[in-house]
Amino acid sequence: NDSLEVALAVNADGLHVGQDDLPVTEARKFIPIDMLLGCSVMTVKEAIKAKKDGADYLGVGAIFSTATKESSKAVGLKSIKDIKKSVDLPIVAIGGINKNNLNDVIDAGADSAAVISAIMGAENIEKATKELINIFGEK
């Protein structure tokens, strides 16, 4: 996730950094050219800076409130729309996303979604995963 050292040690496909982690410009200096670099953002200003600094994609959120990361402020669906209009990078929406709101997230412009509790909190993890995949497949 946000550990440059681990990403390099395991030859990961990517590294993802947050606003309080290693800056995108610094991470870009150390990772191989073919390693994806993502950056978490909440605002258009942060998104524009992340793109300028070399991010390949943006993690936007928390879109909805989530028990997984209670300290995250929900930024809502409008943040996806605003960021999508401002930068031409893929957007991964994160935070409180589940089968009941995934269509709204996609309709707002997210290219993908990261989920934790919608799967890990499910009684049947396989079924929950397939339901989310099917929602994306229908779009």
Side-chain angles (χ1 to χ4, degrees), residues 11-15 28 31-37 56:
N11 196 28
D13 291 330
L15 171 68
R28 185 54 74 197
I31 64 173
I33 195 161
D34 61 342
M35 183 181 281
L36 291 174
L37 179 56
D56 296 308

Side-chain angles (χ1 to χ4, degrees), residues 58-71:
L58 303 172
V60 178
I63 302 303
F64 306 107
S65 60
T66 174
T68 306
K69 201 169 189 180
E70 292 177 357
S71 63

Side-chain angles (χ1 to χ4, degrees), residues 2-48:
D2 61 0
S3 173
L4 173 65
E5 295 82 8
V6 172
L8 293 174
V10 301
N11 196 28
D13 291 330
L15 171 68
H16 188 92
V17 295
Q19 293 297 308
D20 297 326
D21 298 326
L22 181 68
V24 170
T25 53
E26 292 302 307
R28 185 54 74 197
K29 292 177 187 177
F30 295 104
I31 64 173
I33 195 161
D34 61 342
M35 183 181 281
L36 291 174
L37 179 56
C39 182
S40 295
V41 300
M42 295 177 73
T43 67
V44 169
K45 183 179 178 183
E46 289 174 349
I48 291 169

